[in-house]
Amino acid sequence: MNKPMILVVEDDSAVRNLISTTLETHGYKYHTAPTGEAAVLEAASHNPDVVLLDLGLPDMDGVDVIRKIRSWSGMPIIVISARSEDTDKIEALDAGADDYLTKPFSVEELLARLRVTFRRLHGTAAQGDSSVFQNGALKIDYAAGCAFLDGQELHLTPIEYKLLCLLARNAGKVLTHAFITREIWGSSWENDVASLRVFMATLRKKIEKDPSSPLYIQTHVGVGYRMLKV
Ligand code: CA
């Protein structure tokens, strides 16, 4: 099997070298780009399996790099941002980034995010456009419009079901509050985010054995939610 190829976009040479060395040690191939312009060129010419993208670049806003790549490719993009760039991180996810890492991050965190991304890619390929979603004990039959846990049908309200399907279709990917509320209600007001929390709590009570330490749906405080592949 070919080694996965990662494009590392980072203007700070120390961080870039740390990431490259980590990738090399763990059996990945990589290309690097120190600017947004180089990133778009490298992404187009090498078609990497994953892009690791620093948001604070000297020549271009990282979010614009995502928009450019998204205009022709769905390649996974993991954003790397400083803690002070929280709103940029959310904007990046809404522009089509798949996941994020906050600086400073550990090598283990970086490798874990890559594993999640590859699992998602392979999961999507294996499931194709199947009408049934299976994740651990959780099953959604899209055609029948119902969901099951351990073979027992779940009694979900229409909104809970919509929410579960949205997370399932994007399993492995962090979805922002704004994205989810727009998909569910068509708008994204403060009130919708508050409602989302309520529906998420009731959904979790139905699908999680222990809603206080959820197995299927992970909370990203201040950002959104992600369904994990179990
Ligand atoms: Ca930077």
Side-chain angles (χ1 to χ4, degrees):
M1 200 180 122
N2 283 338
K3 290 179 179 178
M5 209 274 275
I6 321 281
L7 174 60
V8 182
V9 186
E10 170 66 73
D11 59 318
D12 182 331
S13 58
V15 180
R16 197 168 62 230
N17 291 340
L18 169 72
I19 296 175
S20 314
T21 310
T22 304
L23 293 176
E24 196 163 22
T25 320
H26 290 83
Y28 296 102
K29 288 189 293 186
Y30 66 88
H31 284 275
T32 60
T35 62
E37 200 183 343
V40 174
L41 278 173
E42 290 284 324
S45 50
H46 297 291
N47 195 30
D49 295 297
V50 173
V51 180
L52 286 175
L53 174 70
D54 175 28
L55 282 182
L57 294 168
D59 61 328
M60 202 192 274
D61 191 332
V63 175
D64 289 329
V65 175
I66 298 169
R67 292 201 181 102
K68 281 190 194 256
I69 293 178
R70 280 289 170 267
S71 67
W72 47 268
S73 170
M75 63 178 67
I77 302 175
I78 302 175
V79 157
I80 299 174
S81 71
R83 220 165 273 283
S84 57
E85 299 164 337
D86 248 12
T87 49
D88 299 5
K89 180 164 78 189
I90 291 169
E91 203 191 338
L93 289 165
D94 279 330
D98 296 75
D99 202 353
Y100 63 89
L101 274 166
T102 305
K103 283 181 186 174
F105 56 86
S106 68
V107 161
E108 286 72 28
E109 261 182 285
L110 168 64
L111 294 168
R113 293 311 162 86
L114 287 173
R115 281 195 300 272
V116 166
T117 303
F118 286 118
R119 219 178 296 145
R120 184 168 84 78
L121 278 180
H122 297 150
T124 316
Q127 291 208 339
D129 51 10
S130 152
S131 65
V132 173
F133 170 85
Q134 184 85 50
N135 183 12
L138 180 67
K139 182 176 139 184
I140 304 173
D141 185 332
Y142 293 119
C146 45
F148 303 84
L149 190 71
D150 285 321
Q152 298 288 311
E153 186 173 352
L154 292 164
H155 298 285
L156 302 178
T157 66
I159 296 232
E160 288 165 356
Y161 179 72
K162 225 171 146 179
L163 188 54
L164 183 66
C165 290
L166 182 66
L167 288 157
R169 276 201 306 275
N170 294 283
K173 190 173 161 158
V174 178
L175 304 181
T176 64
H177 294 131
F179 175 82
I180 299 172
T181 51
R182 269 199 312 271
E183 290 290 314
I184 305 281
W185 290 286
S187 57
S188 188
W189 305 103
E190 289 285 308
N191 279 346
D192 297 329
V193 178
S195 307
L196 173 60
R197 289 206 178 87
V198 174
F199 282 107
M200 192 58 79
T202 59
L203 175 61
R204 274 177 166 158
K205 272 192 198 135
K206 295 177 185 178
I207 67 165
E208 304 280 3
K209 292 225 157 56
D210 177 5
S212 65
S213 84
L215 185 64
Y216 293 105
I217 304 171
Q218 196 180 48
T219 298
H220 289 249
V221 177
V223 177
Y225 300 95
R226 159 174 30 214
M227 180 174 285
L228 294 169
K229 295 261 188 180
V230 303

